[in-house]
Amino acid sequence: MMNASPGRRTELLAAGAATVTVILWASAFVSIRSAGEEYSPGALALGRLLAGAFTLGIFCLVRREGWPPRAAWPGIAISGLLWFGFYMVALNWGEQQVDAGTAALVVNIGPILIALLGARLLGDPMPPRLLAGMAVSFAGAVTVGLSMSSGGGSSVLGVVLCLLAAVGYASGVVAQKPALGRASVLQVTTFGCLVGAVACLPFAGQLVADAADAPLSATLNMVYLGVFPTALAFTTWAYALARTTASRMGATTYAVPALVVLMSWLALGEVPGLLTLAGGALCLAGVAVSRSRARAVAPEAVPPAPQPERASDSA
């Protein structure tokens, strides 16, 4: 069996990294629901970011990564503030104001915003398959959201917070993409996480107070959020983002709602209805379409040009 070409191997590694990210981010929703009952939104975000920064910092020291180049800092700072910091606080707060279905529905405009911002600011192409896949996935996210909504459990404040979280997420991703061309994946992720943690330091008092009263299970969930859905998943995300467009990576996250449904079923015993399952299937189908590539059309055979007759050797 022939070995895969370097380009194909890179594509497979990026797809594998994106898969790890999506699975861990889906698991985060289950952990947030548990830890969020004991920790306030800002305290939970700060605790998660501190655990993530500590884990990433160890890897940076072991690998002797050093400081990122100056040219990478604008993207690192913006993504750290908007994505690692603002997004996490807004999402945690929003999920306390609305039901899970509404939160999933509103936050899932993020990939659409990433595609629009990526096309405008980064020059990302928007091929028909990507647009079609995103449309199918968004329809699935709407279906999942409506099927999980509990009617009357949402507030205007909660919807606005989830909307702001989606804007912060999309803006952070688009800002992170250029930084990955100037610094390593580990540098961009580690220092972005540190920026987010510093931005959340005003919640340090709440974190100490909540940790004193919270059960061990909630604290362990917070640490899990920092080590796996933050340190590991944001690193695998950055690895994949450095090797593809922001638009395609954003579309990949539409698999998260489907996985959240499955994990809630397995971990929390929340049996999904047929409409929820159908929405999850649409999400996965849309991701498959958005990440597929059009088959290359073989060029038509061009008949060889007629050769001029050779002159006779005789005089």
Side-chain angles (χ1 to χ4, degrees):
M1 183 178 178
M2 294 181 63
N3 293 329
S5 64
R8 179 60 176 166
R9 183 172 180 273
T10 299
E11 186 176 338
L12 290 174
L13 288 173
T19 301
V20 171
T21 299
V22 167
I23 292 173
L24 290 176
W25 281 356
S27 74
F29 281 88
V30 179
S31 291
I32 288 173
R33 289 185 58 185
S34 173
E37 295 177 358
E38 307 294 338
Y39 285 90
S40 60
L44 179 58
L46 176 59
R48 174 180 178 176
L49 289 167
L50 288 175
F54 178 77
T55 305
L56 289 164
I58 292 175
F59 281 103
C60 272
L61 289 174
V62 171
R63 293 178 57 87
R64 299 180 180 179
E65 287 284 335
W67 287 83
R70 182 180 299 178
W73 269 104
I76 291 174
I78 293 172
S79 65
L81 288 171
L82 294 181
W83 192 11
F84 286 86
F86 178 79
Y87 164 79
M88 289 190 184
V89 175
L91 180 62
N92 292 343
W93 190 5
E95 286 196 11
Q96 292 184 354
Q97 304 292 320
V98 301
D99 54 61
T102 302
L105 174 60
V106 177
V107 171
N108 270 297
I109 71 166
I112 297 175
L113 295 177
I114 290 174
L116 295 175
L117 290 174
R120 174 68 176 167
L121 301 177
L122 304 177
D124 285 353
M126 298 184 70
R129 283 174 178 259
L130 174 63
L131 297 175
M134 293 183 71
V136 172
S137 287
F138 185 69
V142 170
T143 304
V144 170
L146 293 177
S147 67
M148 294 173 64
S149 295
S150 56
S154 302
S155 70
V156 174
L157 174 61
V159 172
V160 170
L161 286 168
C162 290
L163 180 61
L164 290 174
V167 173
Y169 157 52
S171 302
V173 169
V174 174
Q176 188 187 61
K177 174 66 174 176
L180 290 167
R182 300 177 173 91
S184 72
V185 167
L186 192 54
Q187 286 175 326
V188 171
T189 308
T190 301
F191 287 91
C193 190
L194 275 173
V195 169
V198 170
C200 291
L201 282 179
F203 301 109
Q206 292 181 9
L207 175 60
V208 173
D210 290 348
D213 298 328
L216 179 61
S217 60
T219 302
L220 289 177
N221 266 308
M222 181 175 66
V223 173
Y224 169 82
L225 286 168
V227 175
F228 293 98
T230 303
L232 178 56
F234 274 76
T235 302
T236 52
W237 164 276
Y239 176 88
L241 179 62
R243 290 157 178 79
T244 187
T245 65
S247 304
R248 289 191 74 198
M249 280 301 295
T252 303
T253 61
Y254 272 123
V256 170
L259 294 176
V260 170
V261 170
L262 177 61
M263 290 179 180
S264 297
W265 187 2
L266 296 176
L268 304 177
E270 298 178 352
V271 180
L274 291 177
L275 189 60
T276 305
L277 291 174
L282 277 176
C283 289
L284 295 177
V287 171
V289 172
S290 65
R291 293 194 65 88
S292 64
R293 296 183 183 275
R295 292 183 179 179
V297 179
E300 294 182 4
V302 179
Q307 299 293 326
E309 294 183 5
R310 296 180 61 185
S312 173
D313 292 336
S314 58

